[in-house]
Amino acid sequence: MRIVIALDTHSYSEAIVSEAAKLAANTWADITMLGVQPSSSGDMPDTDLEKRLRQYRKSFLSRFNEGDNPYGGVKGAGKFTSQNGGFLLTGDDKENEFRKKLHVKIRVGDATKEILAEAREQECDLIIIGCTKGLDCQWQGEIDLPRKIAQKADYSVLVIKERKTTDTISCCLDQDQVSQSSLEMINQMVTLHQAELKIVGLTDSLKAGGKEGVENKMAEILKYYADLELNPWIKLVRLEDLEEYVAQASRQGMIALWMGKKSLLGKIFSRDLVGKLVNTSQSSVMILR
Amino acid sequence: MNNQQTSILILDDEPIVSKRLKPSLEKRGYEVETFTSSAAALKRTHERQFDIVITDLKMEGLDGMDFLTDVKEKSPSTEVIVITGFATMETAKESFQKGVFDFLAKPFKIGEISEVIKKAEQKLKQSS
């Protein structure tokens, strides 16, 4: 698994470093900690952002015991060196000495574009980003940036708005087009949080042979989990009630929405509605792709 | 290890995993055998040696940890790569204690596992 963590200098970013470290401790994922500065005046990165990223790296690594750390230690301060128009933290340690990659980078330019570009370059499986509480959902002072990332990314995106205990993960799946990677991402989240899994299927009387067709597909999902010795709650929700259900579930725990290109949900939830959900949610929202 | 094709055994009880990996790795020049049953895979590893074994952990019957333990006991030079959909720090630690080459949490892209396989190949070449 490869994860890009988008980080700015605000306190919510500090909180998501902790969340990302927990996920990394379980999955031993390759990690890129990414900061973005709007412009560069030379060979040096923004001082405040550089300082914060160093702190985040240290905080991330502090989650690991010496013997359990696949990313190497906190040897030396390292230095940011220019790379492809941005900056990469390099140290004395040789990357190949460690089992997994922990890159700390600063890109220069428009934040949305640069975060998406980094995710693309890394061929990542997940982007993690925090934001302010409330409706405007700011990142680095830019309103709605996490919404834009969630809307535009080709990869799964986890928006952590407020750290809460995740007892339940409500996962709205399109039974027609469930990607293997989305199921695998959910499984890792369930394992991480030891959370109860709720699979929410749609009953759309106009598609897929009506309720019977939907139930057949839900049976396939149940079999998938039964084979894995998991027993999720299964819930069927009428199409017209789904938005309300999602809004409610997002207040109770993590909500995951499968929003691939072929997803029926992608048609039901317009891109604007995805953003609305991200903005109004009180906890974490994961957009699965 | 000689200049012959690198042999890879893939064990995952979810057929979709092998279905995705096999053609992609064969295209890259590897000799690939796939199994969805750990018992069948174990039998095969007793019949012949593989350069690289890729195994899931959570499976019915003999689980992946027991399988890789047997593989490493029988053939210490075989490099084992663990792939798991339910990763925990404990399983990662235990895997490395048992001498696996790498530990990948699902989901992963073909490019990621290909990189790991290449590194395992390099190690095999260096030690041969």
Side-chain angles (χ1 to χ4, degrees), chain A residues 144-214:
Chain A
D144 276 355
L145 185 137
R147 177 180 64 82
K148 290 176 196 165
I149 299 290
Q151 285 175 336
K152 292 178 181 174
D154 290 327
Y155 315 94
S156 293
V157 179
L158 175 60
V159 181
I160 301 176
K161 195 164 187 178
E162 189 174 337
R163 282 182 71 197
K164 283 185 176 176
T165 306
T166 303
D167 295 324
T168 304
I169 297 176
S170 296
C171 190
C172 299
L173 290 174
D174 182 329
Q175 299 90 341
D176 279 320
Q177 303 284 341
V178 176
S179 77
Q180 179 71 12
S181 60
S182 69
L183 287 169
E184 289 167 352
M185 191 62 79
I186 294 160
N187 294 342
Q188 298 292 3
M189 290 296 161
V190 168
T191 306
L192 176 68
H193 296 288
Q194 293 293 296
E196 182 179 78
L197 178 62
K198 287 184 179 173
I199 304 291
V200 180
L202 297 177
T203 55
D204 179 0
S205 57
L206 300 176
K207 289 182 184 291
K211 194 179 175 189
E212 191 182 328
V214 170

Side-chain angles (χ1 to χ4, degrees), chain A residues 1 99-100 124 180 188, chain B residues 14 84 102-103 106 109:
Chain A
M1 188 187 292
R99 294 188 189 281
K100 298 295 175 182
C124 82
Q180 179 71 12
Q188 298 292 3
Chain B
E14 289 187 72
T84 179
D102 210 342
F103 179 92
K106 298 175 186 174
K109 295 196 168 55

